[in-house]
Amino acid sequence: MPRPPGAPRPLVSAPHPGSRRPLAGLLAILAVLIIVTLAGPFRSATTASAPSGVPASAAAGAVRVPAPSPVTPRVVGLPVSDAGATLIAAGFRSPVSWRSDPSAAGAPCAVVGQEPAAGATFQPGAPATLVIVRGRCR
């Protein structure tokens, strides 16, 4: 049906027989509006700026708990190979260095000292040194 002269143009035109184009366009517009409406709260929460001196993660509601520092295991009395493997498994840098103590008594290659001391906290990847009894290792 023709439009009278001066009549406003309709917002949505009636589909022609066999044509789905206007309906598909309308559905696409509705889908975009729904997505924008639902995504709005998420976007504003992630882009909110934190007040001065407050980390952004705290402002967004995240609570960050620092990881506890690892503690140096006691390896005195172990053979040097077992002590080294224990320290590496705990987080020390590989390889673990060692030095012999000429005045130490005990089985050859037994650990008689360690740096850092047992129970001390350390940063992962830190170096460690073992002090061993001088002699031929088996």
Side-chain angles (χ1 to χ4, degrees):
M1 171 192 262
R3 209 174 34 161
R9 187 174 185 165
L11 294 177
V12 178
S13 61
H16 298 291
S19 171
R20 294 187 183 192
R21 197 173 228 176
L23 184 59
L26 180 62
L27 289 177
I29 291 170
L30 286 174
V32 169
L33 288 173
I34 290 171
I35 291 171
V36 169
T37 302
L38 293 177
F42 298 109
R43 185 184 46 195
S44 64
T46 58
T47 58
S49 60
S52 178
V54 177
S57 60
V63 177
R64 183 171 182 225
V65 178
S69 297
V71 177
T72 306
R74 185 178 194 284
V75 294
V76 172
L78 296 177
V80 68
S81 59
D82 293 346
T86 301
L87 291 175
I88 292 168
F92 283 96
R93 182 185 311 154
S94 176
V96 173
S97 62
W98 58 271
R99 60 183 168 80
S100 62
D101 181 359
S103 65
C109 296
V111 176
V112 293
Q114 66 182 82
E115 298 167 7
T121 59
F122 68 94
Q123 293 296 319
T129 303
L130 297 173
V131 181
I132 63 170
V133 176
R134 185 181 226 168
R136 185 172 200 159
C137 298
R138 298 179 225 179

